[in-house]
Amino acid sequence: EHEKEVSFLSIILTNRSFRLYLIGYLFSLTGEWLTYVASIELIEEMLGPKSAESRRFISLLVVCRLIPNFVLIPFGGVLADGHDRRKNMMILDIIGAFAPLGFMAASYLKSTKLVYVATLLQASIGALYEPSRTSILPMLVKDSESLNKATTLIGLAWAIMTAIGSGMGGYIAALFGQ
């Protein structure tokens, strides 16, 4: 006898744990992309949008977002394998709640250095968080067909929220910028 085919919508509607996980992931991604675009806007506001200096500083911002993934994801894997993943995620979420304060301070003080520190903090937490986040998914969705579809939904969420979060960041930066 064949198993009943699982739809994307049914995974979301019938699996409360996965639904909450997905919603939390959507909010997290929105915040990350919003702050990334707002950070670019802040640097341009401080240094001038067409200056060579602002372009160099924005390039450094990109490096600050990428380096922690390369350096810290292996440590995040050790953390995920050696400790309770849910607790890891909660602790990192609490620490991550302080990253926006760094961006606010950078904006208030007009400090590119603080933009980089806040970006490094946010990206470092994300890099440590990612192995726990990805490895918890099989605990939420048990059968292989549902797991495949849930993994696809998470990938779609990332792609959609990249566009929406960065778009929101641009809109908010234009609305509240100079």
Side-chain angles (χ1 to χ4, degrees):
E1 187 174 321
H2 295 286
E3 288 183 30
K4 183 179 176 187
E5 186 171 322
V6 178
S7 71
F8 291 107
L9 188 58
S10 71
I11 293 170
I12 295 169
L13 294 177
T14 63
N15 187 330
R16 181 179 185 273
S17 296
F18 175 74
R19 184 173 54 251
L20 293 173
Y21 169 87
L22 180 62
I23 290 167
Y25 186 54
L26 292 171
F27 276 102
S28 177
L29 288 171
T30 300
E32 286 181 27
W33 283 101
L34 192 147
T35 56
Y36 181 48
V37 173
S39 296
I40 292 170
E41 174 66 24
L42 180 60
I43 289 170
E44 287 183 339
E45 181 182 308
M46 287 189 279
L47 303 174
K50 298 197 188 283
S51 75
E53 189 178 24
S54 79
R55 291 186 181 126
R56 281 193 302 273
F57 278 68
I58 290 168
S59 296
L60 185 56
L61 179 71
V62 173
V63 170
C64 287
R65 278 187 56 91
L66 296 176
I67 291 295
N69 285 318
F70 177 72
V71 174
L72 294 177
I73 280 184
F75 295 105
V78 171
L79 193 64
D81 290 341
H83 297 76
D84 183 328
R85 293 173 181 123
R86 293 171 299 169
K87 286 182 183 176
N88 291 344
M89 293 169 71
M90 286 186 277
I91 290 167
L92 289 167
D93 279 334
I94 291 167
I95 296 168
F98 292 99
L101 298 175
F103 291 108
M104 291 168 52
S107 176
Y108 180 76
L109 298 171
K110 302 292 185 207
S111 169
T112 54
K113 289 177 184 168
L114 280 178
V115 172
Y116 298 139
V117 169
T119 299
L120 281 168
L121 175 63
Q122 185 183 51
S124 296
I125 291 165
L128 292 171
Y129 192 92
E130 187 64 14
S132 291
R133 185 194 67 75
T134 56
S135 64
I136 207 166
L137 191 55
M139 297 167 73
L140 302 174
V141 182
K142 301 294 184 193
D143 67 272
S144 63
E145 184 180 352
S146 294
L147 181 58
N148 289 340
K149 295 216 172 161
T151 302
T152 300
L153 283 169
I154 294 300
L156 286 170
W158 182 86
I160 290 167
M161 294 319 290
T162 298
I164 292 173
S166 58
M168 285 175 58
Y171 179 76
I172 291 170
L175 190 64
F176 295 106
Q178 277 185 321

